[in-house]
Amino acid sequence: MSLRCRPAGLVVALLLLAGCSAPPAPTSAALGCVPAPAATTQFRYARNVAITPGPGYRVLTVRQPYPGAAPQSLVLLSCDAPDPALPPALAGASVLRSPVAGVFSGSTTQLPFVTELGALDRLTGVADPALVSDPAVRARIDAGGVTTFAAGGITNAEQVIAAAPGVLLSQGTDDPAFPALRAAGIPVVGWADYLESGPLAQAEWIKVMGALTGRDAEAAAAFDAIARRYTDLAARARGQVPTPIVAGQPYQGTWNVPAGGSTAGALFRDAGASWSAASTSAAGTLPRSLEAVLAADGGARTWLADGPWRTTADVASADPRLPRIAAAGPGGQVWTRDKLLGPGGGNQIYERGVAHPDEVLADLVAILHPQLLPGHGFVYYRRVPTG
């Protein structure tokens, strides 16, 4: 993608600040043209995204780029395809060629998809390197191959325009810089995997990354393997008597219990857990008081908390009422999901775990039904020692 200086209000001002002589990113052809397939991409679980074929192109549609937003469509062209005649419905859509020459990633949940597909060479920007945990991505950052474009959560439009990436993936929110970027010819994809319902639906967004990087087949194969492992584990746990749990922990006076329709709720249920909110269909969490959770779930002898607690003695220091939970006493188990942390303290369950719900589920099954996975090596969950 090249930059041209032309009168365009805010855009020309941004270009002047960035410097019109800034070297453009390499083209898709320079990085090796891999023609994209014209077929529809099948999404088995994800509902907030679609990739459909058109005459000579594909259409990527994000139905809700962020809460309350209108649907967004982008046109995906194969790197060797001629410019198509677009229908009026796509007249204002951004057009990008696949495989994209450079990806600017706004959310750490996108990074495992990049590395899983062997497309790390396409990653040219991250919002804030301090939040990145993935070792391969950190090595690329440390080598100077990645631009920081939104430190502190504020997108630096001038910097993005100067770098001229093939696409910028949002962090799931709107941004006042996006109109200027689109006007400068930089496509912005509203990345909203977190609005999906269920862990496999979120993980299936690897197919979006596959479409952008020209690795559709690899993305489909990677997701099929993840989904197969996940569903096999869930089927094994389904035959067990559900294990009662305490889910989460209080924060600033409120205990947000995962609802049955949430992604965390789906993981707990598929692992063979039972808790007071398991039968609710709502997404997200249900705010409850500590006393309400004690009354409903306090007798459970397994506690799946967030942490960080070094020993069970820290439980009492957080709130003197918490030791009344049976799991915090003799014969109980307290687990936190902070075993795999990055060098900057970032929790990998929110990064790699989004792309690998099969690994998260395996940890949960091993906690709740250890006889199903003897000798399991935990990835994200850590048992809090007695102290």
Side-chain angles (χ1 to χ4, degrees), residues 105-113 131-134 191 193-194 202 248-249 258 263-264 267-268 285 304-308 336-342 345-357 359-360 379-381:
S105 170
S107 170
T108 57
T109 64
Q110 298 148 5
L111 302 178
F113 298 145
L131 304 176
V132 176
S133 298
D134 184 284
W191 195 276
D193 55 346
Y194 71 101
Q202 292 185 351
Q249 65 192 62
T263 294
L267 281 160
F268 292 157
T285 59
L304 301 177
D306 301 319
T336 56
R337 49 184 183 174
D338 56 0
K339 186 176 189 293
L340 187 60
L341 302 178
N347 194 331
Q348 282 267 40
I349 199 169
Y350 305 120
E351 190 171 322
R352 177 180 172 84
V354 174
H356 284 279
E359 295 177 344
V360 181
V379 179
Y380 306 101
Y381 275 85

Short mmCIF file of all heavy atoms in Angstrom, two decimals, residues 105-113 131-134 191 193-194 202 248-249 258 263-264 267-268 285 304-308 336-342 345-357 359-360 379-381:
data_model
loop_
_atom_site.label_atom_id
_atom_site.label_comp_id
_atom_site.label_asym_id
_atom_site.label_seq_id
_atom_site.Cartn_x
_atom_site.Cartn_y
_atom_site.Cartn_z
N SER A 105 -2.04 -5.44 15.12
CA SER A 105 -2.92 -6.15 16.04
C SER A 105 -3.27 -5.30 17.24
O SER A 105 -2.39 -4.86 17.99
CB SER A 105 -2.22 -7.45 16.51
OG SER A 105 -2.93 -8.04 17.56
N GLY A 106 -4.57 -5.07 17.44
CA GLY A 106 -5.02 -4.25 18.55
C GLY A 106 -5.28 -5.01 19.83
O GLY A 106 -5.34 -4.43 20.91
N SER A 107 -5.44 -6.33 19.73
CA SER A 107 -5.77 -7.14 20.90
C SER A 107 -4.83 -8.33 20.99
O SER A 107 -4.52 -8.97 19.97
CB SER A 107 -7.22 -7.64 20.80
OG SER A 107 -7.49 -8.61 21.79
N THR A 108 -4.41 -8.66 22.20
CA THR A 108 -3.51 -9.81 22.37
C THR A 108 -4.19 -11.13 22.03
O THR A 108 -3.50 -12.11 21.77
CB THR A 108 -2.99 -9.88 23.82
OG1 THR A 108 -4.09 -9.95 24.72
CG2 THR A 108 -2.14 -8.66 24.15
N THR A 109 -5.53 -11.16 21.99
CA THR A 109 -6.21 -12.40 21.64
C THR A 109 -5.98 -12.77 20.17
O THR A 109 -6.19 -13.92 19.78
CB THR A 109 -7.72 -12.31 21.91
OG1 THR A 109 -8.30 -11.31 21.05
CG2 THR A 109 -8.00 -11.98 23.35
N GLN A 110 -5.55 -11.81 19.36
CA GLN A 110 -5.28 -12.08 17.94
C GLN A 110 -3.93 -12.74 17.73
O GLN A 110 -3.72 -13.45 16.73
CB GLN A 110 -5.34 -10.76 17.16
CG GLN A 110 -6.69 -10.08 17.20
CD GLN A 110 -6.60 -8.56 17.13
OE1 GLN A 110 -5.51 -8.00 16.96
NE2 GLN A 110 -7.73 -7.89 17.27
N LEU A 111 -3.01 -12.53 18.66
CA LEU A 111 -1.63 -12.98 18.45
C LEU A 111 -1.47 -14.49 18.37
O LEU A 111 -0.68 -14.97 17.55
CB LEU A 111 -0.74 -12.38 19.55
CG LEU A 111 -0.74 -10.86 19.63
CD1 LEU A 111 0.12 -10.38 20.79
CD2 LEU A 111 -0.27 -10.23 18.32
N PRO A 112 -2.17 -15.29 19.20
CA PRO A 112 -2.02 -16.74 19.05
C PRO A 112 -2.46 -17.25 17.69
O PRO A 112 -1.91 -18.23 17.20
CB PRO A 112 -2.92 -17.29 20.16
CG PRO A 112 -3.05 -16.19 21.14
CD PRO A 112 -3.02 -14.94 20.34
N PHE A 113 -3.42 -16.58 17.06
CA PHE A 113 -3.83 -16.99 15.72
C PHE A 113 -2.71 -16.74 14.71
O PHE A 113 -2.49 -17.54 13.80
CB PHE A 113 -5.08 -16.22 15.29
CG PHE A 113 -6.29 -16.46 16.14
CD1 PHE A 113 -7.20 -15.44 16.40
CD2 PHE A 113 -6.54 -17.70 16.70
CE1 PHE A 113 -8.33 -15.66 17.17
CE2 PHE A 113 -7.66 -17.93 17.48
CZ PHE A 113 -8.56 -16.90 17.72
N LEU A 131 1.74 -5.52 27.03
CA LEU A 131 0.66 -6.46 27.32
C LEU A 131 0.87 -7.83 26.70
O LEU A 131 0.09 -8.75 26.96
CB LEU A 131 -0.67 -5.88 26.83
CG LEU A 131 -1.06 -4.49 27.38
CD1 LEU A 131 -2.35 -4.02 26.73
CD2 LEU A 131 -1.19 -4.53 28.89
N VAL A 132 1.90 -7.97 25.87
CA VAL A 132 2.11 -9.21 25.11
C VAL A 132 2.86 -10.23 25.94
O VAL A 132 3.88 -9.92 26.56
CB VAL A 132 2.87 -8.91 23.81
CG1 VAL A 132 3.18 -10.20 23.06
CG2 VAL A 132 2.07 -7.95 22.93
N SER A 133 2.36 -11.48 25.92
CA SER A 133 3.00 -12.57 26.67
C SER A 133 3.63 -13.62 25.78
O SER A 133 4.58 -14.29 26.18
CB SER A 133 1.97 -13.23 27.60
OG SER A 133 1.47 -12.31 28.54
N ASP A 134 3.11 -13.82 24.60
CA ASP A 134 3.58 -14.88 23.71
C ASP A 134 5.08 -14.76 23.45
O ASP A 134 5.55 -13.70 23.00
CB ASP A 134 2.82 -14.82 22.38
CG ASP A 134 3.19 -15.94 21.45
OD1 ASP A 134 4.28 -15.89 20.85
OD2 ASP A 134 2.38 -16.89 21.31
N TRP A 191 -12.59 -6.24 15.28
CA TRP A 191 -12.36 -7.60 15.79
C TRP A 191 -13.17 -7.80 17.07
O TRP A 191 -12.88 -7.21 18.09
CB TRP A 191 -10.88 -7.81 16.06
CG TRP A 191 -10.49 -9.24 16.24
CD1 TRP A 191 -10.58 -9.97 17.39
CD2 TRP A 191 -9.98 -10.12 15.24
NE1 TRP A 191 -10.14 -11.25 17.18
CE2 TRP A 191 -9.76 -11.38 15.87
CE3 TRP A 191 -9.67 -9.97 13.90
CZ2 TRP A 191 -9.25 -12.47 15.17
CZ3 TRP A 191 -9.15 -11.06 13.21
CH2 TRP A 191 -8.95 -12.30 13.84
N ASP A 193 -14.27 -10.99 18.63
CA ASP A 193 -14.41 -12.39 19.04
C ASP A 193 -15.04 -12.50 20.41
O ASP A 193 -15.75 -13.47 20.71
CB ASP A 193 -13.05 -13.09 19.01
CG ASP A 193 -11.99 -12.40 19.85
OD1 ASP A 193 -12.19 -11.23 20.25
OD2 ASP A 193 -10.93 -13.03 20.10
N TYR A 194 -14.80 -11.51 21.28
CA TYR A 194 -15.30 -11.59 22.64
C TYR A 194 -16.82 -11.48 22.74
O TYR A 194 -17.40 -11.79 23.77
CB TYR A 194 -14.65 -10.49 23.50
CG TYR A 194 -15.13 -9.10 23.20
CD1 TYR A 194 -16.06 -8.48 24.02
CD2 TYR A 194 -14.65 -8.40 22.09
CE1 TYR A 194 -16.52 -7.19 23.74
CE2 TYR A 194 -15.08 -7.12 21.82
CZ TYR A 194 -16.02 -6.52 22.64
OH TYR A 194 -16.46 -5.25 22.34
N GLN A 202 -15.30 -18.33 19.92
CA GLN A 202 -14.20 -17.36 19.96
C GLN A 202 -12.98 -17.90 19.22
O GLN A 202 -12.35 -17.18 18.44
CB GLN A 202 -13.85 -17.04 21.40
CG GLN A 202 -14.92 -16.26 22.14
CD GLN A 202 -14.49 -15.84 23.54
OE1 GLN A 202 -13.44 -16.26 24.03
NE2 GLN A 202 -15.29 -15.04 24.20
N GLY A 248 -15.13 -18.04 40.64
CA GLY A 248 -14.74 -16.65 40.75
C GLY A 248 -14.40 -16.24 42.17
O GLY A 248 -14.17 -17.08 43.04
N GLN A 249 -14.41 -14.95 42.42
CA GLN A 249 -14.10 -14.41 43.75
C GLN A 249 -14.59 -12.97 43.81
O GLN A 249 -14.82 -12.34 42.77
CB GLN A 249 -12.60 -14.48 44.03
CG GLN A 249 -11.72 -13.61 43.14
CD GLN A 249 -10.25 -13.95 43.28
OE1 GLN A 249 -9.82 -15.06 42.98
NE2 GLN A 249 -9.45 -12.98 43.73
N PRO A 258 -19.98 -16.39 37.01
CA PRO A 258 -20.20 -16.68 35.59
C PRO A 258 -21.59 -17.26 35.34
O PRO A 258 -22.00 -18.22 36.00
CB PRO A 258 -19.11 -17.70 35.26
CG PRO A 258 -18.05 -17.46 36.29
CD PRO A 258 -18.79 -17.07 37.54
N THR A 263 -18.98 -17.61 28.25
CA THR A 263 -17.89 -18.47 27.80
C THR A 263 -17.30 -19.25 28.96
O THR A 263 -17.05 -20.46 28.86
CB THR A 263 -16.81 -17.64 27.11
OG1 THR A 263 -17.37 -17.07 25.90
CG2 THR A 263 -15.61 -18.49 26.74
N ALA A 264 -17.09 -18.58 30.09
CA ALA A 264 -16.58 -19.28 31.28
C ALA A 264 -17.58 -20.32 31.74
O ALA A 264 -17.20 -21.44 32.13
CB ALA A 264 -16.29 -18.29 32.40
N LEU A 267 -17.31 -23.42 29.61
CA LEU A 267 -16.14 -24.21 29.97
C LEU A 267 -16.38 -25.01 31.24
O LEU A 267 -16.08 -26.21 31.30
CB LEU A 267 -14.93 -23.29 30.14
CG LEU A 267 -14.24 -22.84 28.87
CD1 LEU A 267 -13.39 -21.59 29.11
CD2 LEU A 267 -13.37 -23.96 28.30
N PHE A 268 -16.94 -24.37 32.27
CA PHE A 268 -17.21 -25.07 33.52
C PHE A 268 -18.21 -26.21 33.30
O PHE A 268 -18.02 -27.32 33.80
CB PHE A 268 -17.76 -24.10 34.58
CG PHE A 268 -16.77 -23.08 35.05
CD1 PHE A 268 -17.19 -21.88 35.60
CD2 PHE A 268 -15.40 -23.30 34.96
CE1 PHE A 268 -16.29 -20.93 36.06
CE2 PHE A 268 -14.48 -22.36 35.40
CZ PHE A 268 -14.93 -21.17 35.96
N THR A 285 -21.61 -12.24 33.40
CA THR A 285 -21.63 -12.63 34.81
C THR A 285 -22.86 -12.07 35.51
O THR A 285 -23.50 -11.14 35.03
CB THR A 285 -20.37 -12.11 35.53
OG1 THR A 285 -20.32 -10.68 35.42
CG2 THR A 285 -19.11 -12.73 34.94
N LEU A 304 -12.73 -22.54 41.98
CA LEU A 304 -12.01 -22.08 40.81
C LEU A 304 -11.99 -20.56 40.85
O LEU A 304 -12.92 -19.88 40.42
CB LEU A 304 -12.70 -22.58 39.53
CG LEU A 304 -12.82 -24.10 39.41
CD1 LEU A 304 -13.59 -24.49 38.15
CD2 LEU A 304 -11.45 -24.77 39.42
N ALA A 305 -10.92 -20.02 41.40
CA ALA A 305 -10.80 -18.59 41.64
C ALA A 305 -9.93 -17.94 40.58
O ALA A 305 -9.47 -18.58 39.63
CB ALA A 305 -10.23 -18.34 43.04
N ASP A 306 -9.70 -16.65 40.73
CA ASP A 306 -8.88 -15.90 39.78
C ASP A 306 -7.46 -15.66 40.30
O ASP A 306 -6.51 -15.63 39.53
CB ASP A 306 -9.54 -14.55 39.46
CG ASP A 306 -10.94 -14.72 38.89
OD1 ASP A 306 -11.14 -15.63 38.07
OD2 ASP A 306 -11.84 -13.96 39.28
N GLY A 307 -7.33 -15.47 41.63
CA GLY A 307 -6.03 -15.20 42.21
C GLY A 307 -5.72 -13.70 42.18
O GLY A 307 -6.61 -12.88 41.97
N PRO A 308 -4.45 -13.32 42.39
CA PRO A 308 -3.33 -14.21 42.70
C PRO A 308 -3.19 -14.44 44.20
O PRO A 308 -3.14 -13.48 44.98
CB PRO A 308 -2.12 -13.42 42.18
CG PRO A 308 -2.54 -11.98 42.35
CD PRO A 308 -4.03 -11.92 42.21
N THR A 336 -6.31 -21.34 41.14
CA THR A 336 -6.33 -20.05 40.44
C THR A 336 -5.79 -20.25 39.03
O THR A 336 -4.98 -21.15 38.77
CB THR A 336 -5.48 -19.00 41.17
OG1 THR A 336 -4.14 -19.49 41.31
CG2 THR A 336 -6.07 -18.67 42.53
N ARG A 337 -6.23 -19.39 38.13
CA ARG A 337 -5.85 -19.55 36.71
C ARG A 337 -4.72 -18.60 36.33
O ARG A 337 -4.81 -17.86 35.35
CB ARG A 337 -7.07 -19.33 35.82
CG ARG A 337 -7.86 -18.07 36.12
CD ARG A 337 -9.08 -17.99 35.25
NE ARG A 337 -9.81 -16.76 35.47
CZ ARG A 337 -10.87 -16.38 34.76
NH1 ARG A 337 -11.31 -17.15 33.78
NH2 ARG A 337 -11.48 -15.25 35.02
N ASP A 338 -3.65 -18.64 37.09
CA ASP A 338 -2.53 -17.73 36.86
C ASP A 338 -1.20 -18.47 36.79
O ASP A 338 -0.16 -17.95 37.15
CB ASP A 338 -2.48 -16.65 37.94
CG ASP A 338 -2.41 -17.22 39.35
OD1 ASP A 338 -2.41 -18.47 39.50
OD2 ASP A 338 -2.38 -16.44 40.32
N LYS A 339 -1.23 -19.71 36.32
CA LYS A 339 0.00 -20.50 36.25
C LYS A 339 0.92 -20.04 35.11
O LYS A 339 2.15 -20.04 35.25
CB LYS A 339 -0.33 -21.99 36.06
CG LYS A 339 0.89 -22.92 36.11
CD LYS A 339 0.46 -24.38 36.01
CE LYS A 339 1.65 -25.31 36.27
NZ LYS A 339 2.66 -25.22 35.22
N LEU A 340 0.31 -19.64 33.98
CA LEU A 340 1.11 -19.29 32.80
C LEU A 340 1.07 -17.78 32.60
O LEU A 340 0.11 -17.24 32.05
CB LEU A 340 0.57 -20.01 31.56
CG LEU A 340 1.40 -19.86 30.28
CD1 LEU A 340 2.81 -20.42 30.46
CD2 LEU A 340 0.70 -20.55 29.11
N LEU A 341 2.13 -17.11 33.04
CA LEU A 341 2.22 -15.67 32.92
C LEU A 341 3.35 -15.30 31.98
O LEU A 341 4.35 -16.01 31.87
CB LEU A 341 2.46 -15.03 34.29
CG LEU A 341 1.42 -15.30 35.38
CD1 LEU A 341 1.85 -14.62 36.68
CD2 LEU A 341 0.04 -14.83 34.96
N GLY A 342 3.19 -14.16 31.31
CA GLY A 342 4.24 -13.66 30.43
C GLY A 342 5.27 -12.89 31.21
O GLY A 342 5.11 -12.62 32.41
N GLY A 345 4.00 -10.05 33.16
CA GLY A 345 2.93 -10.34 34.09
C GLY A 345 1.59 -10.62 33.44
O GLY A 345 0.61 -10.89 34.14
N GLY A 346 1.51 -10.53 32.11
CA GLY A 346 0.25 -10.81 31.42
C GLY A 346 -0.14 -12.27 31.56
O GLY A 346 0.71 -13.17 31.52
N ASN A 347 -1.43 -12.52 31.72
CA ASN A 347 -1.93 -13.87 31.92
C ASN A 347 -2.25 -14.51 30.58
O ASN A 347 -3.09 -14.03 29.83
CB ASN A 347 -3.18 -13.84 32.80
CG ASN A 347 -3.55 -15.20 33.33
OD1 ASN A 347 -3.28 -16.21 32.72
ND2 ASN A 347 -4.19 -15.22 34.49
N GLN A 348 -1.60 -15.63 30.28
CA GLN A 348 -1.77 -16.28 28.99
C GLN A 348 -3.14 -16.91 28.80
O GLN A 348 -3.51 -17.23 27.68
CB GLN A 348 -0.69 -17.36 28.82
CG GLN A 348 0.67 -16.82 28.43
CD GLN A 348 0.87 -16.79 26.92
OE1 GLN A 348 -0.02 -16.46 26.16
NE2 GLN A 348 2.08 -17.16 26.49
N ILE A 349 -3.92 -17.08 29.86
CA ILE A 349 -5.25 -17.64 29.67
C ILE A 349 -6.12 -16.66 28.89
O ILE A 349 -7.08 -17.06 28.23
CB ILE A 349 -5.91 -18.01 31.02
CG1 ILE A 349 -7.06 -19.00 30.79
CG2 ILE A 349 -6.38 -16.76 31.77
CD1 ILE A 349 -7.61 -19.63 32.04
N TYR A 350 -5.79 -15.37 28.95
CA TYR A 350 -6.52 -14.37 28.18
C TYR A 350 -5.90 -14.14 26.82
O TYR A 350 -6.41 -13.33 26.04
CB TYR A 350 -6.56 -13.04 28.95
CG TYR A 350 -7.12 -13.16 30.34
CD1 TYR A 350 -6.35 -12.81 31.45
CD2 TYR A 350 -8.40 -13.65 30.57
CE1 TYR A 350 -6.86 -12.93 32.74
CE2 TYR A 350 -8.91 -13.78 31.84
CZ TYR A 350 -8.14 -13.41 32.92
OH TYR A 350 -8.64 -13.54 34.20
N GLU A 351 -4.82 -14.80 26.51
CA GLU A 351 -4.15 -14.65 25.22
C GLU A 351 -4.16 -15.99 24.50
O GLU A 351 -5.05 -16.26 23.70
CB GLU A 351 -2.72 -14.14 25.45
CG GLU A 351 -1.99 -13.73 24.19
CD GLU A 351 -0.66 -13.03 24.48
OE1 GLU A 351 -0.60 -12.25 25.45
OE2 GLU A 351 0.30 -13.26 23.74
N ARG A 352 -3.25 -16.88 24.84
CA ARG A 352 -3.23 -18.19 24.19
C ARG A 352 -4.50 -18.99 24.50
O ARG A 352 -5.01 -19.73 23.66
CB ARG A 352 -2.01 -18.97 24.66
CG ARG A 352 -1.94 -20.38 24.09
CD ARG A 352 -0.72 -21.17 24.53
NE ARG A 352 -0.83 -22.55 24.11
CZ ARG A 352 -0.47 -23.00 22.91
NH1 ARG A 352 0.02 -22.16 22.03
NH2 ARG A 352 -0.61 -24.27 22.58
N GLY A 353 -5.02 -18.82 25.71
CA GLY A 353 -6.20 -19.58 26.11
C GLY A 353 -7.42 -19.33 25.25
O GLY A 353 -8.28 -20.22 25.11
N VAL A 354 -7.53 -18.14 24.65
CA VAL A 354 -8.67 -17.84 23.78
C VAL A 354 -8.60 -18.69 22.51
O VAL A 354 -9.62 -19.17 22.01
CB VAL A 354 -8.69 -16.34 23.43
CG1 VAL A 354 -9.78 -16.03 22.41
CG2 VAL A 354 -8.91 -15.51 24.68
N ALA A 355 -7.41 -18.89 21.99
CA ALA A 355 -7.22 -19.70 20.79
C ALA A 355 -7.21 -21.19 21.10
O ALA A 355 -7.44 -22.01 20.21
CB ALA A 355 -5.92 -19.31 20.09
N HIS A 356 -6.95 -21.55 22.37
CA HIS A 356 -6.85 -22.96 22.74
C HIS A 356 -7.76 -23.28 23.92
O HIS A 356 -7.28 -23.64 25.01
CB HIS A 356 -5.39 -23.30 23.08
CG HIS A 356 -4.52 -23.45 21.87
ND1 HIS A 356 -4.49 -24.61 21.12
CD2 HIS A 356 -3.69 -22.57 21.27
CE1 HIS A 356 -3.66 -24.45 20.11
NE2 HIS A 356 -3.16 -23.23 20.17
N PRO A 357 -9.07 -23.19 23.72
CA PRO A 357 -9.98 -23.56 24.80
C PRO A 357 -9.88 -25.05 25.15
O PRO A 357 -10.27 -25.45 26.25
CB PRO A 357 -11.37 -23.22 24.23
CG PRO A 357 -11.19 -23.29 22.74
CD PRO A 357 -9.80 -22.78 22.50
N GLU A 359 -7.12 -26.57 25.74
CA GLU A 359 -6.15 -26.63 26.83
C GLU A 359 -6.77 -26.19 28.15
O GLU A 359 -6.49 -26.78 29.20
CB GLU A 359 -4.94 -25.76 26.50
CG GLU A 359 -4.13 -26.22 25.30
CD GLU A 359 -2.99 -25.27 24.97
OE1 GLU A 359 -2.99 -24.13 25.46
OE2 GLU A 359 -2.09 -25.67 24.20
N VAL A 360 -7.60 -25.15 28.09
CA VAL A 360 -8.27 -24.69 29.31
C VAL A 360 -9.21 -25.76 29.82
O VAL A 360 -9.26 -26.06 31.02
CB VAL A 360 -9.05 -23.38 29.04
CG1 VAL A 360 -9.73 -22.90 30.32
CG2 VAL A 360 -8.12 -22.30 28.50
N VAL A 379 -1.62 -26.26 32.41
CA VAL A 379 -1.12 -25.16 31.61
C VAL A 379 -1.48 -23.81 32.22
O VAL A 379 -0.61 -22.94 32.39
CB VAL A 379 -1.68 -25.24 30.16
CG1 VAL A 379 -1.16 -24.06 29.32
CG2 VAL A 379 -1.33 -26.55 29.50
N TYR A 380 -2.74 -23.65 32.61
CA TYR A 380 -3.22 -22.34 33.08
C TYR A 380 -3.60 -22.32 34.56
O TYR A 380 -3.48 -21.28 35.22
CB TYR A 380 -4.43 -21.89 32.27
CG TYR A 380 -4.19 -21.89 30.78
CD1 TYR A 380 -4.65 -22.93 29.95
CD2 TYR A 380 -3.48 -20.86 30.17
CE1 TYR A 380 -4.43 -22.93 28.59
CE2 TYR A 380 -3.24 -20.86 28.81
CZ TYR A 380 -3.72 -21.91 28.02
OH TYR A 380 -3.49 -21.91 26.68
N TYR A 381 -4.09 -23.44 35.07
CA TYR A 381 -4.57 -23.49 36.45
C TYR A 381 -3.48 -23.98 37.40
O TYR A 381 -2.70 -24.88 37.07
CB TYR A 381 -5.81 -24.37 36.56
CG TYR A 381 -7.10 -23.63 36.26
CD1 TYR A 381 -7.53 -23.49 34.95
CD2 TYR A 381 -7.86 -23.04 37.28
CE1 TYR A 381 -8.71 -22.79 34.65
CE2 TYR A 381 -9.02 -22.35 36.99
CZ TYR A 381 -9.44 -22.23 35.68
OH TYR A 381 -10.60 -21.54 35.40
#
